[in-house]
Amino acid sequence: MRVSAARSSPTCGDPSMSRIGKKPIPVPSGVTVSIEPELVRVNGPKGELTERIHRDIAVEQEGEELLVKRPTDRGEHRALHGLTRSLVANMVEGVTNGFEKRLEIQGVGYRAQLKGRDLELALGYSHPVPVKAPDGIEFEVPQPTRVVVRGISKQQVGEMAAFIRKQRPPEPYKGKGIRYEGEYVARKVGKRA
């Protein structure tokens, strides 16, 4: 009978270990946190974010740190513990520094340009592709083949970047399309004569 490596490791077997959930979240100066039942509101230099949290998970402020606590060691509480801690930490990070995703556009004639706050993409279609900037998101085009998506909500920035990439995902033969900066695109060999 074989024992898998995951089961035999000392930290995996201990149900009280949630390495992410147990970490305190430092609150920088200039950031205020208000904790209501099932709601956490974070205010900072870049704006305000609110997040609903599960009623079983408690968020407490102790001095310059936030602590996330769970009632039991049941599987669902352990999962919610780590998730809640990550969400609250991302909110603090967002109102302090903000988040950004960088995209690259590859292909002859493919480019992006700003139209006011919105983005207009030329992606080889017969028409330009307009992308509206929702509240809390701003676009930057440092070069016609580079797009930067910025905002204070990590989720919103990620969703917007994914939406832009979906307009023309990279294809595997020539690599044309929109990709995340540094993304590896597996290439295929085309037909040979």
Side-chain angles (χ1 to χ4, degrees), residues 78-142:
R78 296 211 316 265
L80 285 166
H81 191 203
L83 170 71
T84 306
R85 193 260 174 212
S86 293
L87 290 173
V88 174
N90 287 341
M91 287 162 67
V92 172
E93 173 74 17
V95 298
T96 312
N97 304 318
F99 291 100
E100 69 174 35
K101 282 256 186 209
R102 293 173 175 272
L103 298 157
E104 299 173 352
I105 302 172
Q106 292 190 2
V108 177
Y110 289 16
R111 65 188 175 278
Q113 62 182 17
L114 282 174
K115 284 276 173 84
R117 286 191 64 236
D118 301 336
L119 198 61
E120 191 174 85
L121 304 169
L123 299 172
Y125 300 121
S126 60
H127 54 86
V129 179
V131 178
K132 282 192 73 63
D135 289 341
I137 290 288
E138 59 182 54
F139 298 125
E140 188 189 322
V141 183

Side-chain angles (χ1 to χ4, degrees), residues 35-46:
I35 300 161
E36 299 161 30
E38 296 183 40
L39 195 74
V40 175
R41 186 174 277 114
V42 181
N43 239 313
K46 287 191 175 279

Side-chain angles (χ1 to χ4, degrees), residues 137-149:
I137 290 288
E138 59 182 54
F139 298 125
E140 188 189 322
V141 183
Q143 295 168 257
T145 57
R146 295 266 190 281
V147 177
V148 183
V149 182

